[in-house]
Structure formats: structure tokens, C-alpha cells
Amino acid sequence: MLSAQRKEHLLALLEAEGRVVAKTVASDLGISEDSIRRDLRELADEGRCIRVYGGALPVPAADAPVAQRLSIATDSKERVARAALALIRPASTLILDAGTTTLAMARMLPGDVTVLTPSPAVALAAMESSRARVIMIGGELSRHSAVVGGALAQEAIARLAADVFFLGATGIHPVHGLTTGELDDAVTKRALAARSADTFVLGSAEKIGAVSRFPVLSLDEITGVVTDPEDDDPLIAQLRTA
């Protein structure tokens, strides 16, 4: 079997089964495990799968550019946003990460809070929809995720402090923890979590069980996961929910 045929087979397995185990596929095809690992590595480099120990997982829907994510699991995101709002204490300082669920939160905020955010879209939504004090974190703006990062953002974050950070990951997995599709974004999220007393990750339906390319934090390093109360995914029982 040619490499191109193997890759199509691997992508079909990812779509049908939700994962690829390199050892199993190599045995089924009667070829070396190294060949399968090489194919998976090349597919990952092309952005068509996510490499994990022993195989690969599909690219999460939440890794799409922000404009495309606005139409994914919108009802679930609204329910998660409302559940997260219940965790905000009066007169607190909170960090809202970039993302479509935090954007929904920004449109529902109480007026007695201070909002810090690396997202221009979230900042504008909070300003237009509430009387909250809004502080933008500066830095280089990513064209993919529309969130700031880089050295300037790191310097600004080091001088901030917050009561709670609502983190937007693209993958939330019981084993692989919190992950995201951009390296700089992962670094920024860790820095924001380090400046917050509590960190909650927002877990709408499409993110539960997904794994993206870059690790952010383990589940042990956060306060909890805010999930959709109508989501019956069995993986939720393995998460530290809020």
C-alpha cells in the first residue's frame, strides 16, 4: 500500500472511530509501526490530525478560525456561559479569555465587575452590553484566533491579578487535560492562570474529549470545568466539574 493510500485509510479511521492506534493499524495492514507513525506525523504537520502518544486524534472543531467557530454548538455555549456567570462574585475582577463562549459571557455580565481580556471582541462585547470596567491586555494580535499574545502581552499579564479566570481551551480531555491549537496561545493562557486565584475552563459540547496540538494545563492545575448541563457525554464524569 502506497503512503497516500495509507494516509487516506488513516483519515477514514479517524472519521469513523475518532482515533487511530498506530500499533493496531500497523498489525491490520501488515506493515511496520514506524511507517504508520511517519504517516501520522506528516498528516499532523498538514493540520489534518493531532498526534498523541501511540497514535492520533481528529482535529477538534474548536481549532477552526474564530469566524468559523461562531456557528459551532451555539446553544451549548450559551448554557455554559450562563453556568459560568453563576460563579462570578460581586465586585470581583475577572479575566475573560478569547473564544466564542467567553464572548457569550461578555454579553451577559453584571455591571459591578472589572473585566480583563486579551480579546478585542470580548472587550467590545463587555463594553457594549454591560457597565463593567473593561481593561484590554495588549500584545500582538493573532489572525487565526483574534487574541493577543507575545512578549508585550506577557509583560502586561505579569503586572495583573484577578479573582477568577474563565479559560477557553479547544480541547478538554480526562487524560490529556486542556489543550489549544496555537503555541503562543497556550503560553498566554498559562500566564493568565498564574495571575488568577481561581481558573475555570469553559467546556461546551464540542470541546469535551477533544485534544489539540499544544498542552495548556492539566486538570489538576485548575479549579474546575464548567460544562453544559444538558450534555450527557460520559467523559464529563471524569472531569473536575464546577
Side-chain angles (χ1 to χ4, degrees):
M1 182 181 287
L2 298 175
S3 175
Q5 294 173 304
R6 293 198 306 268
K7 289 178 181 178
E8 289 303 315
H9 177 68
L10 292 170
L11 291 172
L13 281 176
L14 279 172
E15 183 175 357
E17 300 180 10
R19 64 172 185 164
V20 165
V21 178
K23 184 176 182 180
T24 301
V25 177
S27 176
D28 290 344
L29 297 180
I31 60 177
S32 72
E33 192 173 337
D34 284 345
S35 294
I36 296 299
R37 291 186 186 280
R38 183 171 58 252
D39 291 339
L40 291 175
R41 185 165 56 249
E42 291 174 1
L43 287 171
D45 289 342
E46 296 168 9
R48 303 177 74 184
C49 72
I50 300 295
R51 291 279 287 119
V52 296
Y53 180 78
L57 295 171
V59 176
D63 269 344
V66 65
Q68 297 177 26
R69 299 202 308 268
L70 290 172
S71 61
I72 299 172
T74 53
D75 290 344
S76 181
K77 291 171 183 175
E78 289 283 332
R79 290 189 290 268
V80 170
R82 292 189 183 279
L85 285 174
L87 299 171
I88 299 175
R89 295 183 293 273
S92 59
T93 297
L94 53 131
I95 299 173
L96 291 185
D97 201 357
T100 47
T101 310
T102 48
L103 188 60
M105 282 186 69
R107 297 183 177 124
M108 309 175 190
L109 288 172
D112 63 343
V113 297
T114 296
V115 177
L116 312 174
T117 182
S119 165
V122 168
L124 286 171
M127 183 184 70
E128 293 169 355
S129 305
S130 76
R131 295 185 62 81
R133 182 187 184 195
V134 181
I135 300 172
M136 273 290 302
I137 299 169
E140 183 178 359
L141 189 63
S142 164
R143 292 185 177 275
H144 177 85
S145 59
V147 60
V148 299
L152 287 175
Q154 292 296 313
E155 183 174 348
I157 291 167
R159 298 177 182 274
L160 300 175
D163 298 302
V164 59
F165 173 31
F166 292 101
L167 187 155
T170 55
I172 304 170
H173 193 280
V175 175
H176 301 288
L178 313 182
T179 51
T180 191
E182 292 190 65
L183 179 58
D184 283 348
D185 194 28
V187 173
T188 300
K189 292 177 192 299
R190 284 194 294 274
L192 290 169
R195 303 302 300 167
S196 306
D198 291 308
T199 295
F200 292 96
V201 64
L202 303 172
S204 49
E206 84 284 6
K207 298 175 183 177
I208 304 298
V211 179
S212 293
R213 185 184 298 264
F214 299 107
V216 179
L217 295 167
S218 69
L219 293 175
D220 291 338
E221 295 176 286
I222 64 171
T223 310
V225 182
V226 184
T227 57
D228 179 353
E230 296 186 19
D231 189 355
D232 58 2
D233 190 323
L235 284 178
I236 290 176
Q238 301 177 46
L239 304 174
R240 183 188 297 168
T241 54

